[in-house]
Amino acid sequence: MGELERLADRMREFAQARDWERFHTPKNLAMALAGEVGELVAEFQWLTPAESSTLDEEATARVRAELGDVTAYLVRLADLLGVDLVRAAHDKLDESERRYDPGLYRGSARKAPPL
């Protein structure tokens, strides 16, 4: 069993022990995930690119906590929907490798046309 599966199991048990499963609908989890992503984004909102790459200890701790929240909600949502996150990420990377030929897109931020 991998780390994500262990985390999903732990989160499922956490919700069950508190009778929170009824609140953990896909809609609610997706909304909570979006809120936590917003909190993560807020940590970087007014920083320059250089500042965002060299966070102090306090800012790093806040970002770490927000990343933990984002991960927790994402793992819980994927578990509820039966989605293997690692497989989904590999599948998405496979698609991106097909769409973004290094010879055409190296150093470019432009978006590829849909497949």
Side-chain angles (χ1 to χ4, degrees):
M1 179 182 290
E3 287 295 317
L4 283 179
E5 290 85 6
R6 281 194 287 278
L7 179 57
D9 288 347
R10 184 173 176 201
M11 294 187 65
R12 195 178 318 112
E13 291 166 7
F14 179 87
Q16 287 170 347
R18 289 154 182 82
D19 192 27
W20 286 356
E21 291 174 298
R22 60 189 154 149
F23 306 117
H24 287 195
T25 64
K27 177 197 77 74
N28 287 354
L29 291 169
M31 291 176 71
L33 174 60
E36 293 301 337
V37 169
E39 291 179 18
L40 175 62
V41 169
E43 291 296 330
F44 293 96
Q45 186 170 7
W46 302 114
L47 302 180
T48 66
E51 290 169 336
S52 72
S53 297
T54 56
L55 299 175
D56 62 27
E57 195 173 315
E58 186 177 305
T60 298
R62 289 192 312 270
V63 166
R64 183 179 187 278
E66 295 306 337
L67 285 168
D69 288 339
V70 167
T71 301
Y73 280 116
L74 181 61
V75 168
R76 183 72 177 122
L77 177 59
D79 181 50
L80 189 68
L81 295 175
V83 172
D84 178 335
L85 280 174
V86 173
R87 181 75 258 149
H90 280 292
D91 290 347
K92 188 63 179 179
L93 186 55
D94 290 345
E95 178 187 322
S96 293
E97 286 177 335
R98 287 190 300 275
R99 290 181 69 196
Y100 293 96
D101 179 283
L104 298 174
Y105 289 92
R106 184 174 183 83
S108 170
R110 66 189 164 96
K111 191 157 175 67
L115 288 177

